[in-house]
């Protein structure tokens, strides 16, 4: 009988932010690595494993001598490069492209410094992993993955090694250790080895990984660990103890698997969840700006890249913004489990990324506007203003048909002629062909000088080309009143007899009601009391409660039902009608601005929470069913009632007739279904970095969330294109006032289109090596797709994308036009192959 081979994976988990700030975290990483280098010099057997390009960069900049020693040990095979990421991200809450960028950033660094990429993914402490994560790993070129959470008590698996299969059939050799976690206490290692030996007899594996070393704030293997290993090995000659790297372990495990029957390893298809469920909604004050920053960065990057390609100029450098988003995706930052001081600093870090993204987008659109014909009509009279040109930009690779808001100053001074009757100011809005557009005047963002017109704001129906622009003109013109008015909508959105209505929906409520009742096509769209809000008891810390605590998994102990406390009609149509509703409890309140647009099959809601609670969480409720499809990183997953769960930007609940119910949000991540109701958690009043149950409410300990929180969401039929609605909600068209001037480019045009509709654009960006552009797509409908790309008026047919898969291409200009070559997400050119 062959010996068991225990691969001893020495490591030291280091959180760059948790119970400390980023400065302490990075320097502790340096201290740990220096300590391990000295111990490796002392003990020729010790092998150490370290991931996260972020930490290596810090060591390279701060201590070049230590970095050179690390490189020498990597070359000798005693220092293992693992993970392949920039840092250990959360793997339930970031979007697909952000998780891919962790590998793009990390693998590019490892390849540039150590001559090769990392083969084995590693997620020591992340609180679960999405069902689509194998697609992300495969797209990044990784073959192996190891993680520890959820622990076996939370998610039993037949063997520690298994094939993890994604929704697109990508297959990753995955390993979860037989023992509990990724590190060890000082005197724990003999018991860990005993435990692993006993479990190995049941697993049937000869090749076994044992993770050890002090962790959480650095540490790693110790002299005592090494002595305990030698002593244990002398007592167990039947086991071969190998000081190893994670990659070496996986290569030998792969060899063992090849020698076994084809069905030796079990197949796991679906998510590796759940763990630490409170993290899905803790610290909304950080989660909300994170989502908005990520959306702004995505819009800016694609906008800048395609305009740079058209104008022949260098693209903007958005690397600092991306590093900020990647850093704040860390599994103790984005989940909201760090201390308050660190949280404040990370929110400021996100602010930097948001502004850098805005600037890149602003300069790109100004560059485009400088080449576009943005002229407006001459003034009616010598001393009257001309119109105001707007460049309206669609950041999506498909046509946008919907509504935009234009607001601008129609003169350099208030227009005193219409003082005390500003609603009579004659205004016209023209499209790119100088044809009158219909519009509806709405309240401006300011409430200054309300008796005299100056700035005006209009809701305008538009159709915008894919990743393209249209020039609109808004003007104060005395002849506007005499000109023929553009036609009113055939199916207006109106406020009628206490209800909002358009051709599809009717929404109504009343004072004291527990919600908003919504009908669609004459039938109840939401059951029961409709859209409601309620408080639930939540006495748990930042991570939530234990998985064996039913009350922590299922937060459903009702504390307070909120009721309508105030109503006000804001807009009465015909293009948009809106109602302001305040729902309130004893201490907190929720203000909703509910909107319907003409002939539009969606309800738009702008929400503002004023949150002042203790030991509670706020949930929105939608009585629509309790089985739903949730967007998750890398794909989607269908779940029935199973307590608090993570989700992405959209949720689909099936219904009769194929319509069902769809929910789209720009910020929320935490959901549950039970008794025919879908609920979305908005906020919870836990403590900063607080473990376990909060037995006493100490008022001097601040809640992790208090004050004002703002978010937006859409309600739509489940049969709608929810991924597209989510992108448009997060990344609406950009409206920019620009100078009026001649230009060589037309007043409307498209720079890029992607077809067919079942493809989702993940990225269009400059290649990191400067050789062209990177296009990344994912198939979303579960059927093969033949992508058709139109870039700067040139049509390209790309490689077929299998169902649910992610593919990337390098787009380069050649003498005969653009050419596309398939590559992996790290931008390594390759031949298409199955990941098996």
């Amino acid at each position: 009988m062959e010996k068991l081979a225990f691969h001893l994976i020495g490591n030291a988990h280091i959180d760059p932010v948790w119970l400390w700030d980023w400065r302490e975290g990075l320097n502790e990483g340096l201290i740990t690595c220096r300590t391990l280098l000295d111990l490796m010099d002392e003990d020729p057997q010790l092998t150490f494993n370290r991931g996260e390009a972020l930490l290596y960069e810090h060591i390279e900049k701060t201590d070049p001598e230590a970095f050179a020693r690390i490189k020498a040990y990597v070359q000798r095979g005693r220092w293992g490069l693992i993970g392949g990421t920039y840092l250990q991200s959360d793997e339930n809450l970031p979007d697909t492209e952000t998780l891919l960028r962790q590998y793009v950033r990390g693998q590019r660094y490892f390849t540039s410094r150590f001559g090769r990429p990392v083969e084995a993914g590693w997620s020591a402490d992340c609180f679960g992993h999405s069902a689509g994560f194998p697609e992300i790993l495969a797209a990044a070129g990784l073959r192996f993955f190891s993680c520890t959470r959820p622990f076996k008590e939370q998610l039993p698996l037949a063997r520690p090694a298994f094939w993890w299969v994604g929704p697109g059939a990508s297959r990753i050799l995955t390993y979860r250790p037989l023992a509990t976690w990724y590190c060890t206490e000082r005197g724990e290692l003999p018991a860990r080895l005993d435990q692993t030996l006993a479990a190995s007899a049941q697993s049937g594996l000869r090749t076994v990984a044992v993770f050890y070393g002090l962790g959480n704030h650095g540490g790693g293997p110790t002299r005592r660990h090494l002595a305990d290993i030698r002593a244990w090995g002398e007592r167990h000659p039947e086991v071969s103890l190998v000081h190893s790297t994670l990659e070496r372990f996986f290569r030998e495990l792969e060899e063992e698997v090849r020698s076994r029957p084809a069905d030796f390893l079990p197949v796991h298809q679906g998510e590796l969840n759940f763990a630490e469920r409170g993290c899905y909604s803790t610290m909304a004050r950080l989660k909300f700006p994170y989502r908005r920053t990520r959306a702004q960065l995505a819009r800016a990057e694609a906008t800048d890249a395609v305009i740079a390609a058209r104008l022949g100029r260098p693209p903007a450098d958005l690397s600092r913004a991306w590093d900020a988003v990647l850093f704040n995706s860390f599994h103790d930052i984005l989940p909201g489990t760090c201390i308050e001081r660190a949280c404040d600093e990370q929110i400021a870090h996100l602010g930097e990324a948001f502004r850098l993204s805005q600037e890149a987008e602003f300069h790109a659109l100004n560059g485009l506007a400088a080449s576009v014909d943005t002229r407006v009509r001459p003034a009616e009279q010598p001393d009257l203003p001309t119109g105001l040109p707007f460049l309206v930009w669609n950041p999506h690779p498909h046509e946008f048909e919907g509504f935009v808001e234009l607001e601008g100053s129609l003169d350099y001074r208030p227009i005193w002629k219409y003082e005390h009757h500003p609603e009579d100011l004659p205004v016209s809005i023209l499209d790119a062909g100088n044809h009158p557009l219909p519009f509806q005047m709405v309240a401006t963002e300011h409430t200054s000088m309300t008796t005299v017109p100056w700035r005006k704001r209009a809701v305008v129906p538009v159709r915008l080309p894919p990743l393209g622009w249209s020039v609109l003109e808004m003007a104060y013109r005395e002849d506007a009143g005499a000109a023929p008015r553009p036609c009113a909508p055939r199916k207006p959105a109106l406020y009628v007899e206490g209800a909002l209505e358009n051709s599809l929906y009717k929404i109504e409520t009343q004072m004291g009601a527990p919600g908003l009742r919504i009908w669609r096509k004459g039938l109840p769209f939401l059951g029961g009391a409709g859209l409601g809000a309620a408080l639930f008891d939540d006495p748990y810390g930042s991570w939530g409660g234990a998985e064996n605590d039913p009350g922590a998994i299922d937060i459903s102990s009702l504390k307070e039902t909120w009721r309508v406390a105030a109503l006000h009609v804001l807009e009465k149509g015909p293009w948009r009608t809106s109602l302001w509703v305040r729902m309130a409890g004893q201490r907190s309140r929720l203000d909703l601005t509910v909107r319907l647009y003409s002939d539009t099959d969606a309800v738009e809601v702008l929400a503002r929470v004023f949150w002042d609670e203790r030991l509670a969480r706020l949930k929105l409720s939608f009585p629509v069913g309790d089985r739903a499809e949730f967007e998750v990183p890398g794909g989607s997953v269908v779940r029935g009632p199973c307590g608090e769960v993570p989700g992405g930007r959209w949720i689909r609940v099936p219904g009769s007739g194929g319509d069902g119910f769809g929910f789209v949000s720009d910020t929320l991540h935490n959901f549950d279904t039970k008794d025919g109701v879908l609920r979305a958690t908005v906020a919870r009043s836990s403590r900063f970095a607080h473990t376990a149950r909060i037995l006493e409410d100490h008022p001097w300990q601040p809640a992790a969330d208090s004050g004002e929180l703002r978010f937006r969401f859409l309600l739509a039929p489940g049969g709608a294109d929810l991924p597209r609605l989510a992108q448009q909600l997060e990344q609406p068209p950009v409206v920019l006032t620009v100078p009026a001037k001649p230009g060589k480019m037309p007043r409307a045009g498209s720079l890029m289109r992607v077809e067919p509709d079942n493809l989702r654009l993940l990225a269009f960006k400059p290649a990191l090596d400067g050789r062209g552009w990177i296009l990344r797509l994912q198939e979303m409908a579960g059927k093969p797709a033949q992508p058709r790309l139109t870039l700067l008026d040139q049509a390209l047919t790309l490689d077929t994308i299998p169902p649910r898969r992610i593919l990337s291409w390098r787009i380069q200009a050649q003498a005969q036009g653009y050419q596309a070559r398939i590559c992996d997400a790290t931008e390594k050119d390759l031949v298409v192959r199955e990941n098996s």
Side-chain angles (χ1 to χ4, degrees):
M1 181 177 178
E2 290 188 54
K3 273 189 172 185
L4 289 172
F6 281 11
H7 287 253
L8 304 171
I9 311 298
N11 73 102
H13 183 61
I14 303 167
D15 293 321
V17 173
W18 181 30
L19 307 181
W20 44 83
D21 62 34
W22 62 274
R23 295 172 292 276
E24 180 179 344
L26 288 180
N27 273 352
E28 181 51 52
L30 170 59
I31 293 166
T32 289
C33 288
R34 286 188 59 88
T35 301
L36 264 296
L37 287 166
D38 292 343
L39 189 56
M40 292 170 74
D41 291 345
E42 179 182 311
D43 190 312
Q45 287 189 309
L46 173 61
T47 299
F48 185 61
N49 293 265
R50 176 74 253 165
E52 300 175 297
L54 167 74
L55 180 56
Y56 285 90
E57 278 190 337
H58 178 63
I59 296 171
E60 183 182 14
K61 294 176 184 176
T62 308
D63 192 340
E65 183 268 339
F67 189 75
R69 294 171 69 192
I70 290 172
K71 290 187 72 172
Y73 274 124
V74 169
Q75 291 173 353
R76 292 161 59 183
R78 290 184 58 199
W79 187 291
L81 305 173
I82 61 175
T85 55
Y86 185 56
L87 84 176
Q88 287 189 28
S89 172
D90 182 87
E91 289 168 3
N92 275 315
L93 305 181
D95 66 287
T96 300
E97 180 64 17
T98 299
L99 287 173
L100 272 170
R101 294 297 179 96
Q102 290 283 357
Y103 291 98
V104 174
R105 180 71 167 83
Q107 294 284 53
R108 297 285 296 190
Y109 178 82
F110 288 121
T111 301
S112 68
R113 299 307 192 272
F114 299 98
R116 63 176 182 84
V118 173
E119 294 182 1
W122 167 236
S123 182
D125 200 27
C126 175
F127 311 133
H129 317 273
S130 80
F133 200 62
E135 301 303 329
I136 295 171
L137 293 167
L142 274 79
R143 300 166 54 221
F144 312 125
F145 179 67
S146 183
C147 62
T148 61
R149 295 179 188 268
F151 300 139
K152 59 185 179 181
E153 297 80 11
Q154 300 161 333
L155 181 67
L157 296 169
R159 295 186 195 275
F162 55 95
W163 293 110
W164 189 14
V165 178
S170 293
R171 192 169 72 156
I172 303 296
L173 182 57
T174 304
Y175 189 86
R176 186 181 68 178
L178 286 164
T180 53
W181 63 311
Y182 45 87
C183 289
T184 48
E185 302 294 351
R186 293 184 181 277
E188 182 189 355
L189 193 48
R192 171 72 62 83
L193 291 167
D194 290 339
Q195 179 187 15
T196 304
L197 181 60
S200 296
Q202 298 179 352
S203 76
L205 289 171
R206 297 190 302 268
T207 308
V208 178
V210 181
F211 294 82
Y212 79 102
L214 303 181
N216 269 17
H217 195 248
T222 67
R223 292 184 181 88
R224 179 175 177 177
H225 287 151
L226 298 174
D228 286 344
I229 288 169
R230 284 190 283 268
W232 194 90
E234 291 172 359
R235 296 194 301 273
H236 294 276
E238 75 278 17
V239 179
S240 173
L241 298 179
V242 183
H243 290 270
S244 189
T245 66
L246 188 60
E247 288 185 356
R248 177 182 173 185
F249 159 72
F250 266 115
R251 287 195 293 270
E252 295 191 14
L253 174 64
E254 190 176 43
E255 285 299 316
E256 178 183 349
V257 170
R258 287 188 182 129
S259 70
R260 303 288 193 126
D263 60 352
F264 172 67
L265 286 189
V267 173
H268 181 84
Q269 191 155 12
E271 56 194 329
L272 297 176
N273 274 322
F274 302 98
E276 319 300 345
R277 300 185 190 221
C279 296
Y280 309 148
S281 50
T282 297
M283 213 180 289
R285 72 195 195 112
L286 185 143
K287 286 179 168 66
F288 288 17
Y290 171 89
R291 280 278 295 274
R292 294 191 183 102
T293 300
R294 171 63 186 96
Q296 174 62 54
L297 177 54
R299 191 176 73 179
E301 181 178 67
T303 295
D304 177 76
V306 75
I307 291 175
R310 173 61 181 83
L311 300 182
R313 64 156 178 79
D317 181 2
L318 286 166
S319 58
R320 281 182 59 86
W322 267 111
D323 281 357
V325 167
L326 298 181
F327 189 92
N328 285 288
S329 304
F330 178 67
H331 67 258
D332 275 314
I333 298 175
L334 182 55
T337 52
C338 60
I339 59 174
E340 182 177 16
R341 175 169 54 86
C343 172
D344 291 344
E345 292 182 349
Q346 297 316 129
I347 292 172
H349 194 198
L350 288 168
E352 177 194 25
F354 190 91
R355 180 56 182 260
L356 289 171
S357 303
Q358 277 188 319
E359 288 179 355
E361 180 181 76
F362 179 57
H363 293 313
L365 291 174
N366 272 339
L368 176 65
S371 299
V372 167
D373 179 2
T374 58
R375 291 173 293 178
V376 297
R377 292 169 293 174
E380 286 182 279
Q381 301 174 24
D383 197 31
L384 286 179
T386 60
L388 186 63
F390 293 88
L391 183 79
V392 184
W393 171 257
N394 173 18
H396 305 292
H398 52 77
E399 185 179 78
F400 173 87
E401 185 172 5
F403 294 83
V404 298
E405 293 182 351
L406 307 182
E407 179 169 341
S409 299
L410 300 187
D411 200 352
Y412 289 102
R413 290 292 297 151
I415 304 171
W416 297 106
K417 178 179 178 179
Y418 292 90
E419 187 178 13
H420 303 305
H421 51 109
E423 68 281 359
D424 293 335
L425 182 76
V427 176
S428 71
I429 297 179
L430 304 182
D431 66 13
N434 290 320
H435 303 115
L437 279 172
F439 60 91
Q440 174 186 326
M441 284 298 179
V442 296
T444 58
E445 290 185 294
H446 71 90
T447 52
S448 299
M449 300 177 291
T450 56
T451 62
V452 59
W454 184 13
R455 292 181 66 80
K456 283 291 185 178
R457 189 176 189 88
V459 174
V460 187
V462 295
R463 180 174 292 176
L464 303 174
L467 270 165
W469 72 95
S470 186
V471 175
L472 306 185
E473 176 190 337
M474 181 164 68
Y476 152 51
R477 294 184 67 93
E478 289 293 340
D479 61 4
R485 295 284 298 185
C487 61
R490 288 188 306 110
K491 300 176 180 179
L494 302 170
Y495 180 76
V496 180
E497 296 181 355
L500 301 185
E501 294 185 14
N502 69 4
S503 60
L504 294 160
Y505 293 92
K506 179 179 179 180
I507 304 172
E508 66 179 15
T509 189
Q510 60 185 6
M511 293 291 292
L516 285 77
R517 301 187 66 190
I518 304 177
W519 290 264
R520 180 176 177 271
K521 296 182 177 180
L523 300 173
F525 188 51
L526 305 178
L531 165 58
L535 291 187
F536 293 83
D537 290 312
D538 185 357
Y540 299 99
S542 308
W543 290 263
E547 281 292 304
N548 59 5
D549 180 350
I553 295 173
D554 177 16
I555 305 291
S556 58
S557 174
L558 183 64
K559 184 174 185 176
E560 181 179 84
T561 298
W562 287 8
R563 294 185 176 274
V564 175
L567 295 164
H568 184 73
V569 180
L570 299 178
E571 298 162 350
K572 296 185 178 181
W575 292 101
R576 184 173 77 188
T577 181
S578 63
L579 177 68
W580 175 84
V581 181
R582 171 165 291 174
M583 303 189 72
Q586 293 183 7
R587 295 168 59 106
S588 304
R589 65 183 188 268
L590 169 66
D591 290 351
L592 302 174
T593 299
V594 184
R595 292 172 169 174
L596 288 178
Y597 292 86
S598 168
D599 206 26
T600 300
D601 200 355
V603 180
E604 181 183 45
V605 183
L606 284 63
R608 187 186 301 261
V609 177
F610 297 87
W611 183 241
D612 179 24
E613 299 294 335
R614 309 291 288 185
L615 310 183
R617 73 165 64 195
L618 171 64
K619 293 186 179 186
L620 303 178
S621 61
F622 308 94
V624 292
D626 52 20
R627 185 169 181 80
E629 178 187 7
F630 298 80
E631 183 197 38
V632 296
S636 66
V637 63
V638 175
R639 305 181 181 118
C642 53
E644 306 297 325
V645 298
R649 301 172 305 167
W650 57 265
I651 300 171
R652 191 189 316 273
V653 181
S656 60
D659 285 352
F661 172 82
F663 175 82
V664 174
S665 158
D666 70 343
T667 51
L668 304 184
H669 286 289
N670 188 162
F671 308 94
D672 69 282
T673 60
K674 184 178 181 179
D675 299 330
V677 179
L678 165 70
R679 295 185 178 89
T681 293
V682 176
R684 57 189 301 256
S685 54
S686 183
R687 304 293 178 269
F688 289 96
H690 188 105
T691 56
R693 190 175 181 125
I694 302 171
L695 300 178
E696 295 181 72
D697 182 17
H698 296 152
W700 56 90
Q701 293 178 341
D705 274 316
S706 61
E708 181 180 294
L709 298 166
R710 289 181 292 165
F711 60 102
R712 300 170 65 204
F713 61 93
L714 298 177
L715 309 180
D721 189 342
L722 299 181
R724 178 173 292 192
L725 288 177
Q727 284 191 304
Q728 291 177 173
L729 179 69
E730 283 195 326
Q731 302 174 42
V734 185
V735 178
L736 184 68
T737 54
V738 294
K741 58 180 290 297
K744 295 181 179 180
M745 295 174 65
R747 295 172 65 81
S750 170
L751 300 183
M752 190 175 95
R753 177 192 291 268
V754 173
E755 298 171 296
D757 289 343
N758 59 322
L759 295 177
R760 173 181 166 195
L761 177 67
L762 296 180
F764 184 74
K765 59 180 286 293
L768 294 174
D769 59 8
R771 295 189 297 124
W773 312 90
I774 301 298
L775 172 73
R776 186 153 36 251
L777 303 173
Q778 183 174 22
E779 198 287 316
M780 299 296 293
K783 56 185 180 182
Q786 183 77 63
R788 298 185 300 276
L789 170 68
T790 304
L791 178 62
L792 307 185
D793 297 325
Q794 180 183 333
L796 292 88
T797 300
L798 307 178
D799 307 77
T800 299
I801 304 183
R804 311 286 185 185
R805 287 282 184 95
I806 299 167
L807 286 187
S808 303
W809 292 264
R810 182 189 298 274
I811 312 294
Q812 288 182 279
Q814 305 290 340
Q816 64 273 34
Y818 285 103
Q819 290 188 346
R821 180 178 177 81
I822 199 164
C823 62
D824 69 14
T826 65
E827 304 182 19
K828 175 185 175 183
D829 293 342
L830 49 79
V831 176
V832 180
R833 62 174 176 83
E834 290 296 317
N835 189 326
S836 59

